[in-house]
Amino acid sequence: MGDERLLAAMLGQLIWLALALAGAAWLGGPLSERLGLVPSRLPWRWVVVALVGFLCLSAAADAGLRTLALREGGRLGEIDELVRDTRAALAASLVALGLLPALCEELLFRGFALRALEGRFATWVAVTGSSVLFGLAHADLVHGGAAFVLGLYLGVVAVWAGSVVPAILCHAANNLYGIAALAGLAPPGEPLDAVGAWGLLVASGVCLTLLRAVRKRPLPVGNELQREAESADS
């Protein structure tokens, strides 16, 4: 039963990937640019800062959900149960629930969707809109709400970096650590409210730093990419 659910999870992620590729192809232009698979403007030390901030924000969100007794129900509870049920197939869990979601979801929501929206709207609208879509895609009120908040952070990282790669790394690190903790291979997150609050404060500070950097270095996407391509052709 667990293996079947892992296969279903993998299939769902491949559908997200297909949508990202189809959307990028429909818009035209190089797929790598439409999906954000370009070199990051962020030096690696700042990628590490972004990753740490994301882990802090995720831990804070998790602590809040546990305090409100919302973690065990719905989709999040199902994922926890699936990881525990498939410990013998840990490698499959790491791929189906860790790496594939990080790659496929980021390419769709922080790659294609964010860049497509930013070609028509202001950056903050694009980040918010792609995060709303990310939350709705989880089809669960609690999981979707947490995904929306985390999506805002990942959107800021993607915009500042000018690339989806750092967002993929943040997403993957968070997923893999969560799976390892559930499987008993890593220490579980500290459930104390104070720790969660401090994590949220740290992550919020990182987000503010990223937002300030975004204003200074806007990302050339959408129509700007098209104009650059036309200029190069001429």
Side-chain angles (χ1 to χ4, degrees), residues 99-123:
L99 296 177
L100 267 182
L103 176 64
C104 300
E105 292 176 6
E106 292 310 310
L107 287 179
L108 178 58
F109 296 104
R110 255 65 62 184
F112 163 68
L114 175 58
R115 287 178 165 240
L117 289 171
E118 197 170 12
R120 295 177 176 272
F121 304 102
T123 297

Side-chain angles (χ1 to χ4, degrees), residues 107-224:
L107 287 179
L108 178 58
F109 296 104
R110 255 65 62 184
F112 163 68
L114 175 58
R115 287 178 165 240
L117 289 171
E118 197 170 12
R120 295 177 176 272
F121 304 102
T123 297
W124 71 269
V125 175
V127 171
T128 303
S130 61
S131 300
V132 169
L133 294 175
F134 184 51
L136 292 174
H138 287 77
D140 179 85
L141 183 60
V142 174
H143 195 185
F148 168 73
V149 174
L150 297 177
L152 289 174
Y153 185 99
L154 292 172
V156 171
V157 171
V159 169
W160 184 27
S163 168
V164 75
V165 174
I168 292 174
L169 294 177
C170 289
H171 197 153
N174 184 63
N175 287 358
L176 294 176
Y177 181 83
I179 293 170
L182 287 170
L185 300 178
E190 176 60 55
L192 296 178
D193 294 343
V195 174
W198 277 111
L200 181 57
L201 287 175
V202 171
S204 298
V206 173
C207 286
L208 289 176
T209 302
L210 300 180
L211 285 170
R212 184 172 58 183
V214 167
R215 295 192 185 101
K216 295 180 179 179
R217 301 182 66 180
L219 173 64
V221 297
N223 294 334
E224 292 182 31

Side-chain angles (χ1 to χ4, degrees), residues 17-153:
L17 178 60
L19 288 174
L21 293 173
W26 178 69
L27 287 178
L31 282 180
S32 60
E33 292 181 355
R34 289 299 182 187
L35 294 174
L37 287 173
V38 295
S40 171
R41 289 198 301 247
L42 283 176
W44 280 107
R45 64 181 180 275
W46 287 107
V47 173
V48 173
V49 170
L51 192 153
V52 171
F54 185 69
L55 292 177
C56 290
L57 179 59
S58 178
D62 183 73
L65 292 177
R66 291 184 187 279
T67 300
L68 297 173
L70 296 174
R71 172 80 196 192
E72 299 304 321
R75 287 281 298 159
L76 288 172
E78 292 176 4
I79 293 173
D80 291 351
E81 181 183 354
L82 178 57
V83 173
R84 295 189 185 101
D85 289 346
T86 56
R87 286 182 182 178
L90 180 59
S93 295
L94 291 173
V95 173
L97 304 176
L99 296 177
L100 267 182
L103 176 64
C104 300
E105 292 176 6
E106 292 310 310
L107 287 179
L108 178 58
F109 296 104
R110 255 65 62 184
F112 163 68
L114 175 58
R115 287 178 165 240
L117 289 171
E118 197 170 12
R120 295 177 176 272
F121 304 102
T123 297
W124 71 269
V125 175
V127 171
T128 303
S130 61
S131 300
V132 169
L133 294 175
F134 184 51
L136 292 174
H138 287 77
D140 179 85
L141 183 60
V142 174
H143 195 185
F148 168 73
V149 174
L150 297 177
L152 289 174
Y153 185 99

